[in-house]
Amino acid sequence: MKVLSLHKPGDIRFEDAPTPEPGEGEVLLKVMACGICSSDNARIFKDGAHVMPIVPGHEFAGQVAEVGEGVDKSLIGKKASVFPMLPCFECPSCKRGDYATCSNYKYYGSRNDGGMGEYRAIKAWNLNILDDSVDYCVGALSEPSAVGHHAAEVGGVKPGDKVFVIGSGTIGLLIGFFAQAKGAEVWIGARRKESAEFAASLGFKTIDTNNTAEEVEKATDGNGMDVVFEAVGSNKCLIDAIGSVAAGGTLVTVGNPVGDMNLPRDVYWRILRKQLTVRGTWNSSYSDKANDWHEVAELMKEKKIPFEKLITRKYKLSQCDEAFDFFRDTKIQKSRVMFVMHEKESEAYNE
């Protein structure tokens, strides 16, 4: 089979690899689509992975081709996305069913081979079954969608809430979709004109984050937003987010930090004097008591949210250099870039 293999930072190769065989409790997934995430960009071109060589990719979907010992054969032929975390099942978090906070986890795409290859052996427990009507590229959005869905749940968004999402990336837009689905009025904060225009084309109101305070004041008659999501991970955006929340409102931190976070004294005072609720969110819920992945799979089946509009371009694995160049070009407005496998050579990838 063909894979993309990361040998060291900056050295990603399109090469042959043995097709894996599913072991006990595993399935062989024929990978059909895999998204490129910003964390993949950092891993591939800057930081490297925990183990190398490794096949990157943690946002993927495909079709079950074979099953290993102890796995229900009825799964063969099913469409599925993959919860990429491999919990230890032994730590206190795991014993509570809070797998996202496992203290000794592994991960498809960063500690174990991931989805940028034609086949992957996957623990059956990690399969998130999709309806047959769901497009594979949409299915590959399950991971960022589950993260966005989890954030909206953590924020406690209610009908009629004024919601401000700072960040116009894929996860920020997905948070916006889920907040809208809950009946909220949603603004997306964007720094670039092209990003704001794309958010507006999806039906969101927008705020120019080059001038956050004045625009939020104008949008809310000076009262602030009921729920604010910081989905960038920068110090400026965190300060803007705190300043944008209404008294008694909720701030949800979502963005992975790009550096240290430092709050001026008067900004910290706002948390106290406004009696804000500040919630951090990490990954998504995937258990019997709460499962963002199952919720997202149902929403994808219902087709009430335009997930497909977040897929900017598709590439074959052999086009990896072109795909990564496009993904890393900050001058181009984009959302998710997908690798698509097992397509006919005549297939139009970027219409």
Side-chain angles (χ1 to χ4, degrees), residues 149-301:
H149 186 273
H150 186 66
E153 292 292 310
V154 167
V157 177
K158 306 182 300 299
D161 277 350
K162 286 182 167 57
V163 170
F164 179 29
V165 184
I166 300 180
S168 56
T170 304
I171 289 177
L173 294 170
L174 285 162
I175 293 170
F177 281 143
F178 298 130
Q180 277 187 337
K182 291 176 177 291
E185 186 178 8
V186 179
W187 286 259
I188 298 292
R191 179 174 53 86
R192 298 172 61 242
K193 178 183 177 182
E194 295 83 0
S195 299
E197 289 175 346
F198 181 61
S201 75
L202 298 174
F204 297 115
K205 298 179 180 181
T206 62
I207 283 176
D208 181 356
T209 54
N210 295 298
N211 193 24
T212 303
E214 288 186 14
E215 294 221 355
V216 169
E217 183 175 4
K218 180 179 178 181
T220 64
D221 295 324
N223 295 316
M225 300 285 184
D226 298 300
V227 187
V228 176
F229 296 87
E230 196 289 319
V232 176
S234 76
N235 200 77
K236 176 190 179 299
C237 289
L238 177 60
I239 290 171
D240 284 350
I242 293 170
S244 300
V245 189
T250 299
L251 166 65
V252 182
T253 57
V254 185
N256 291 330
V258 296
D260 291 340
M261 296 294 192
N262 300 289
L263 297 180
R265 183 169 177 263
D266 65 324
V267 174
Y268 184 81
W269 267 118
R270 294 178 188 177
I271 299 174
L272 276 60
R273 293 188 176 185
K274 288 185 176 182
Q275 297 195 144
L276 303 184
T277 297
V278 180
R279 298 287 306 272
T281 180
W282 174 252
N283 208 293
S284 55
S285 294
Y286 188 83
S287 70
D288 292 337
K289 64 180 183 180
N291 198 309
D292 296 295
W293 289 71
H294 291 176
E295 296 286 344
V296 164
E298 188 62 27
L299 289 168
M300 288 178 172
K301 176 183 176 181

Side-chain angles (χ1 to χ4, degrees), residues 18-147:
T19 300
E21 295 184 6
E24 184 178 356
E26 293 184 331
V27 306
L28 180 65
L29 189 73
K30 183 179 182 180
V31 181
M32 302 299 287
C34 181
I36 305 175
C37 173
S38 58
S39 64
D40 292 319
N41 180 53
R43 186 172 296 116
I44 293 169
F45 294 101
K46 180 182 177 183
D47 301 327
H50 296 276
V51 179
M52 290 183 284
I54 193 171
V55 177
H58 61 276
E59 301 179 3
F60 57 108
Q63 183 181 49
V64 178
E66 299 177 22
V67 298
E69 184 180 347
V71 180
D72 188 345
K73 292 184 179 180
S74 69
L75 287 174
I76 295 174
K78 296 286 189 182
K79 284 187 175 183
S81 54
V82 177
F83 177 61
M85 178 175 280
L86 291 157
C88 70
F89 296 109
E90 297 294 333
C91 70
S93 288
C94 283
K95 288 180 178 179
R96 293 193 305 268
D98 296 329
Y99 301 117
T101 55
C102 173
S103 58
N104 191 32
Y105 65 87
K106 295 182 179 179
Y107 216 86
Y108 289 119
S110 63
R111 300 167 191 254
N112 298 62
D113 285 337
M116 292 184 186
E118 293 181 319
Y119 291 90
R120 182 61 49 219
I122 297 293
K123 297 285 186 184
W125 182 84
N126 294 74
L127 287 181
N128 180 53
I129 302 301
L130 301 170
D131 189 75
D132 287 342
S133 66
V134 176
D135 178 81
Y136 283 113
C137 284
V138 170
L141 286 172
S142 293
E143 196 275 342
S145 296
V147 171

